[in-house]
């Protein structure tokens, strides 16, 4: 759930970055006297051009869609692994370890300038990184397909062996996420030169549709077809086939298939797709490698950014337990992996349409009002979700299935939660677009987005790791507590099982909700003051002239 949310947020970020770019372009090219009318005419002309000329770039659009689809596959696979390892007995601390696999997309700003500045001119600015990165992804998936079952299936599990395997699995998927994030940097940049100027609006569309499709394929479709319950109940039984202990596909087979697709498609791109020389608009800033990092440090030194950074790095503290732990807790309470995956299907259209609807209400001068006012409602929805999880076993049928109204109620509750999630996110992005210094292009806004993603990553990892310390277990054959691996082993030797008698999920939700209430009381006034600051408070200034905004010639 958390990973899917980050992916959707990133797609909306790309759309806001694209809108900010067009806004900056029109600001530079228009005079102050006729800016409004000129922008309206430009918008009308752009709409006509997009409608009539998109076919000129149709093959490039298809290629971009496919490249973004490939990018979504490692992300979807990584999001599937926590549910898979949970069925193999992973602990909360082991889930926390694996959560580091999702960090690269929160940190890609650190190496994005390197990818943009260093390349082989003869091979192409974007292909210099894209081709080797996609080859490595493909080869890693192919090799991993032969060992993944051995990594997951341990005939004699111990705490040490489980941890070593989780560390190994985390390092592999951290590497895949790192490569996917690097591929994202390449494709985002290539789209600007691959598409005609009048068709640049298709870049964000390709990103949104392609990544969503790749994630959906590697997460929802994979988890559904990999489930033996789904395969036996809805496929084999209907076709009068013999019931089996495996799904229609396996994790190893899916990895092998995806690895082959990556390898073949990358070879075709390397051989048949040639880059054109990128021509930059002289009005747009383009910094070198050292200058880019220098500008980022200048932005981080701004007092307004320091205050905003604290907010972005701590805002998720009130929602972290619900966002990070709910899916795993539902598995523990009998909901199957494929059922959780299928819940995403009816929610997808809602999640696509919500940002467009909410954006109508975030175009004013104070978008953070919606951001702050949505916070308490999101905390309330977190409590409702926790109650829903608590009563989940009471909905379960005698055959361990759940009735349709259970899933209908789940969709209703999550849909209401998503309204407030997107209200906060879209209003936050609108504020970023307002305060970002146009002289620095997308670098400023990308930094704010990085802080947002990092705020999700570190809190998610922390809450998963702390859950183990909030778990109290007892042996089923006695009242002895299972506080150490040795005590768990002794219980198992006696034929018992160590079961929790205090569930860390509800403790974590309670603590995070209280922390969220304290947070909104602490930071509400700060958010209101930040959006009342003059725009000059957010601009990067020259080292020698404090009142002069930074320009690309500095």
């Amino acid at each position: 759930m958390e990973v899917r949310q980050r992916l959707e947020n990133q797609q909306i970020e790309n759309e806001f970055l694209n809108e900010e770019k067009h806004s900056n372009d029109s600001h530079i090219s228009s005079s102050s006297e006729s800016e409004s009318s000129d922008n309206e005419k430009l918008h009308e002309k752009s709409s006509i051009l997009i409608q009539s000329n998109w076919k000129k770039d149709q093959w490039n659009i298809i290629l971009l869609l496919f490249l973004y689809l490939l990018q979504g596959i490692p992300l979807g696979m990584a999001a599937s692994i926590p549910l898979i390892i949970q069925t193999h007995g992973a602990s909360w601390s082991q889930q926390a370890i694996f959560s580091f696999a999702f960090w690269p997309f929160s940190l890609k700003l650190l190496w994005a300038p390197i990818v943009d500045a260093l390349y082989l001119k003869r091979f192409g600015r974007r292909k210099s990184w894209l081709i080797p990165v996609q080859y490595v992804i493909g080869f890693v998936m192919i090799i991993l397909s032969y060992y993944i079952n051995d990594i997951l299936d341990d005939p004699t599990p111990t705490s040490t062996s489980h941890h070593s395997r989780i560390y190994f699995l985390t390092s592999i998927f951290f590497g895949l996420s790192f490569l996917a994030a690097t591929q994202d940097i390449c494709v985002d940049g290539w789209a600007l030169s691959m598409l005609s100027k009048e068709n640049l609006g298709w870049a964000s569309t390709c990103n949104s549709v392609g990544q969503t499709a790749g994630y959906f394929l590697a997460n929802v479709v994979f988890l559904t077809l990999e489930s033996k319950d789904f395969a036996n109940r809805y496929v084999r039984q209907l076709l009068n086939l013999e019931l089996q202990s495996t799904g229609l596909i396996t994790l190893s087979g899916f990895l092998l298939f995806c690895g082959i697709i990556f390898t073949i498609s990358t070879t075709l791109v390397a051989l048949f797709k040639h880059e054109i020389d990128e021509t930059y608009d002289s009005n747009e800033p383009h910094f070198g490698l050292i200058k880019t990092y220098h500008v980022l440090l200048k932005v981080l030194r701004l007092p307004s950014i320091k205050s905003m950074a604290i907010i972005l790095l701590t805002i998720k503290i009130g929602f972290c337990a619900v966002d990070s732990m709910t899916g795993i807790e539902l598995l523990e309470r009998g909901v199957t992996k494929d059922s959780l995956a299928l819940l995403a299907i009816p929610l997808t259209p809602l999640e696509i349409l919500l940002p467009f609807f909410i954006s109508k209400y975030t175009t004013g001068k104070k978008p953070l009002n919606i951001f702050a006012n949505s916070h308490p409602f999101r905390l309330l929805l977190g409590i409702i979700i926790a109650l829903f999880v608590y009563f989940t076993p009471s909905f379960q049928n005698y055959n361990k299935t759940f009735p349709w109204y259970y899933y209908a109620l789940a969709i209703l509750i999550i849909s209401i939660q998503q309204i407030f999630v997107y209200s906060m996110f879209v209003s936050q992005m609108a504020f970023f677009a307002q305060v970002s210094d146009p002289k620095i292009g997308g670098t400023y806004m990308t930094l704010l987005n990085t802080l947002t993603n990092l705020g999700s990553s570190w809190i998610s990892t922390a809450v998963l790791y702390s859950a183990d310390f909030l778990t109290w277990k007892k042996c089923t054959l006695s009242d002895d507590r299972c506080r150490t691996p040795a005590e768990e082993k002794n219980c198992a030797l006696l034929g018992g099982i160590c079961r929790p008698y205090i569930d860390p999920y509800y403790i974590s939700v309670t603590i995070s909700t209280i922390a969220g209430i304290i947070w909104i009381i602490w930071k509400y006034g700060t958010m209101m003051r930040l959006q009342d600051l003059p725009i000059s408070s957010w601009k990067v200034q020259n080292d020698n002239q404090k009142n002069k905004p930074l320009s690309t010639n500095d």
Side-chain angles (χ1 to χ4, degrees):
M1 186 181 293
E2 176 74 8
V3 182
R4 180 179 173 82
Q5 184 66 53
R6 291 182 203 169
L7 178 62
E8 289 157 356
N9 290 351
Q10 181 189 336
Q11 293 162 2
I12 301 172
E13 289 167 12
N14 289 332
E15 292 175 6
F16 269 92
L17 281 167
N18 191 51
E19 290 174 8
E20 184 198 31
K21 178 181 179 297
H22 286 297
S23 175
N24 293 341
D25 290 345
S26 63
H27 175 75
I28 294 171
S29 61
S30 304
S31 64
S32 58
E33 298 176 350
S34 59
E35 180 178 1
S36 178
S37 61
D38 286 350
N39 286 344
E40 291 176 2
K41 293 177 183 178
L42 180 62
H43 178 74
E44 292 174 0
K45 291 179 181 179
S46 297
S47 299
I48 295 172
L49 286 169
I50 289 173
Q51 288 179 349
S52 59
N53 289 343
W54 72 271
K55 289 186 177 180
K56 181 174 70 174
D57 288 326
Q58 60 181 335
W59 293 112
N60 287 331
I61 291 172
I62 291 172
L63 176 60
L64 285 174
L65 279 169
F66 182 73
L67 291 175
Y68 280 119
L69 182 146
L70 291 180
Q71 181 188 128
I73 290 176
L75 302 179
M77 286 296 301
S80 303
I81 296 299
L83 301 181
I84 294 174
I85 63 176
Q86 189 65 27
T87 62
H88 286 76
S91 64
W92 288 111
S93 61
Q94 289 166 346
Q95 291 284 0
I97 293 169
F98 188 79
S99 69
F100 280 103
F102 307 122
W103 279 56
F105 266 84
S106 301
L107 302 171
K108 66 179 182 178
L109 183 64
L110 296 178
W111 69 91
I114 298 175
V115 175
D116 193 58
L118 304 179
Y119 58 94
L120 298 174
K121 188 173 182 180
R122 183 177 179 182
F123 195 50
R125 183 175 192 175
R126 307 305 173 184
K127 287 174 64 177
S128 295
W129 289 90
L130 180 72
I131 300 304
V133 161
Q134 290 195 170
Y135 268 134
V136 174
I137 293 176
F139 293 153
V140 169
M141 285 184 169
I142 292 172
I143 296 171
L144 182 61
S145 68
Y146 291 99
Y147 298 98
I148 188 66
N149 291 332
D150 294 332
I151 296 173
L152 294 174
D153 298 329
D154 189 355
T156 56
T158 63
S159 178
T160 304
S161 68
H162 268 180
H163 267 80
S164 63
R165 289 165 187 265
I166 291 296
Y167 280 123
F168 182 63
L169 202 59
T170 302
S171 63
I172 292 173
F173 279 92
F174 180 92
L176 287 174
S177 295
F178 174 82
L179 293 168
T182 305
Q183 193 253 26
D184 180 57
I185 298 167
C186 299
V187 180
D188 285 348
W190 199 1
L192 299 179
S193 62
M194 189 184 297
L195 299 176
S196 304
K197 191 167 186 179
E198 64 268 22
N199 290 326
L200 282 177
W202 283 93
S204 60
T205 302
C206 293
N207 184 303
S208 177
V209 175
Q211 276 191 352
T212 300
Y215 182 93
F216 189 85
L217 175 66
N219 184 264
V220 178
V221 175
F222 164 70
L223 287 175
T224 302
L225 298 182
E226 187 262 351
S227 168
K228 66 175 183 180
D229 295 327
F230 177 87
N232 290 335
R233 187 180 303 127
Y234 298 109
V235 179
R236 296 184 180 120
Q237 198 170 34
L238 293 177
L239 297 177
N240 294 322
L241 299 175
E242 183 181 352
L243 302 185
Q244 299 181 20
S245 60
T246 59
L248 298 176
I249 61 176
T250 61
L251 177 57
S252 58
F254 188 75
L255 280 168
L256 179 61
F257 172 77
C258 291
I260 294 172
I261 293 296
F262 262 91
T263 305
I264 295 175
S265 60
T266 302
T267 302
L268 293 175
V269 172
L271 294 176
F272 299 109
K273 182 59 182 176
H274 302 286
E275 278 193 67
I276 61 172
D277 292 334
E278 296 185 3
T279 56
Y280 295 114
D281 189 335
S282 59
N283 290 321
E284 297 181 12
H286 297 284
F287 303 108
L289 179 60
I290 304 301
K291 184 66 173 179
T292 300
Y293 287 113
H294 181 63
V295 167
L296 289 175
L297 288 175
K298 281 190 172 184
V299 174
L300 287 171
R301 291 194 189 106
L302 293 173
S304 55
I305 290 295
K306 291 179 181 178
S307 298
M308 195 67 200
I310 294 174
I311 290 174
L312 297 177
L313 291 173
T314 57
I315 178 67
K316 298 293 178 65
I317 196 169
F319 326 121
C320 56
V322 171
D323 291 347
S324 303
M325 300 175 68
T326 298
I328 298 171
E329 186 68 17
L330 286 173
L331 276 180
E332 292 293 301
R333 293 185 170 270
V335 182
T336 59
K337 299 192 303 293
D338 57 295
S339 298
L340 288 176
L342 290 172
L343 283 177
I345 295 177
L347 290 172
T348 299
L350 175 69
E351 292 165 347
I352 292 174
L353 295 174
L354 268 177
F356 295 101
F357 177 77
I358 295 171
S359 62
K360 298 178 181 179
Y361 303 95
T362 58
T363 55
K365 294 182 178 179
K366 296 187 175 183
L368 287 186
N369 287 349
I370 295 177
F371 180 85
N373 293 333
S374 297
H375 188 278
F377 291 100
R378 192 171 170 187
L379 291 176
L380 176 61
L381 263 296
I383 296 173
I384 294 174
I385 289 174
L387 291 173
F388 175 76
V389 172
Y390 179 80
F391 288 106
T392 287
S394 63
F395 286 92
Q396 196 170 35
N397 297 322
Y398 69 93
N399 59 353
K400 296 186 178 181
T401 62
F402 289 86
W404 66 268
Y405 52 84
Y406 170 81
Y407 296 108
L409 182 60
I411 292 171
L412 175 63
I413 294 174
I414 296 174
S415 297
I416 297 173
Q417 184 209 31
Q418 291 303 297
I419 292 175
F420 296 107
V421 169
Y422 280 99
S423 294
M424 292 185 67
F425 185 76
V426 174
S427 58
Q428 171 186 291
M429 294 300 299
F431 179 71
F432 288 174
Q434 281 186 8
V435 302
S436 294
D437 191 342
K439 294 293 184 183
I440 314 178
T443 304
Y444 197 113
M445 195 166 177
T446 303
L447 174 62
L448 294 174
N449 293 332
T450 298
L451 292 171
T452 301
N453 294 332
L454 190 58
S456 296
S457 297
W458 82 264
I459 292 179
S460 175
T461 299
V463 73
L464 288 171
Y465 188 76
S466 64
D468 256 5
F469 296 95
L470 300 174
T471 302
W472 283 267
K473 296 180 180 179
K474 281 185 178 180
C475 184
T476 54
L477 296 180
S478 64
D479 289 332
D480 296 336
R481 292 185 180 182
C482 302
R483 288 168 290 192
T484 64
E487 291 176 344
E488 290 187 21
K489 186 176 180 180
N490 290 335
C491 179
L493 290 174
L494 296 173
I497 299 175
C498 288
R499 295 189 183 277
Y501 65 94
I502 296 180
D503 197 318
Y505 175 74
Y506 303 104
I507 300 176
S508 299
V509 170
T510 301
I511 294 174
S512 69
T513 302
I514 294 173
I517 295 172
I518 296 173
W519 187 94
I520 192 64
I521 295 172
W522 173 43
K523 283 299 177 183
Y524 183 87
T526 303
M527 288 188 285
M528 297 301 103
R529 286 193 297 272
L530 284 175
Q531 69 177 350
D532 288 335
L533 289 175
I535 198 65
S536 58
S537 300
W538 300 90
K539 289 188 176 182
V540 179
Q541 299 175 343
N542 189 295
D543 292 332
N544 299 323
Q545 302 176 15
K546 290 186 177 181
N547 295 323
K548 180 182 176 182
L550 180 74
S551 68
T552 55
N553 296 324
D554 289 343

